[in-house]
Amino acid sequence: MALNLCLDNPANGSTSAQTRCEVQAESAYDRRMNAAYGALLRTLPRRAAGELRNAQRTWLAFRDAQRMADAALFATRQGTMYVPMQGGSATRVVRDRALQLEASLRILQIEAQ
């Protein structure tokens, strides 16, 4: 929602401003992801926490590989409009992981209520 507000703001019509919106959104999703990840590690039993830790390490490798693949894709394009598109791709990868971890945390909270 904050990303859409930022992108829809007429003051953010430039490529650099739209890219800044994407960077800010990615950072916000990264904070959410890390908060959910930390809460899960503190809540899960040791074995499950270890599995989550392994999954997160694998996800980090995926994130980095996806960024490289995106960079290769966008390197084939010309024009400034692709810069915020590349930023949007990075944002979506982190957003999806944040939402996934938050959903896992909600599952743990079902019986705790």
Side-chain angles (χ1 to χ4, degrees), residues 6 19 25 39 46 64 82 91 103 112:
C6 186
T19 302
R46 177 177 288 217
D64 294 345
Y82 295 105
T91 299

Side-chain angles (χ1 to χ4, degrees), residues 3 6-7 12 16-26 91:
L3 174 59
C6 186
L7 292 173
N12 293 329
S16 64
Q18 290 182 2
T19 302
R20 190 172 44 255
C21 290
E22 291 291 352
V23 168
Q24 290 170 350
E26 181 184 355
T91 299

Side-chain angles (χ1 to χ4, degrees), residues 8 10 37 60-61 99:
D8 290 343
Y37 177 68
L60 289 168
L99 295 175

Side-chain angles (χ1 to χ4, degrees), residues 1-50:
M1 183 67 108
L3 174 59
N4 289 338
L5 291 174
C6 186
L7 292 173
D8 290 343
N9 184 334
N12 293 329
S14 70
T15 300
S16 64
Q18 290 182 2
T19 302
R20 190 172 44 255
C21 290
E22 291 291 352
V23 168
Q24 290 170 350
E26 181 184 355
S27 180
Y29 281 120
D30 189 64
R31 285 190 301 276
R32 285 175 58 179
M33 177 188 67
N34 287 324
Y37 177 68
L40 284 164
L41 287 179
R42 289 188 300 276
T43 306
L44 287 169
R46 177 177 288 217
R47 184 171 189 277

Side-chain angles (χ1 to χ4, degrees), residues 62-113:
F62 163 77
R63 179 203 62 192
D64 294 345
Q66 186 62 52
R67 284 186 180 175
M68 295 199 52
D70 286 344
L73 166 70
F74 286 104
T76 69
R77 305 291 87 203
Q78 291 184 352
T80 59
M81 70 183 230
Y82 295 105
V83 176
M85 291 173 136
Q86 185 174 356
S89 181
T91 299
R92 284 187 297 280
V93 169
V94 177
R95 177 202 64 203
D96 290 350
R97 183 62 175 164
L99 295 175
Q100 185 178 43
L101 292 175
E102 288 172 347
S104 295
L105 189 57
R106 283 191 302 277
I107 289 169
L108 287 179
Q109 294 169 340
I110 289 172
E111 293 177 12
Q113 295 177 1

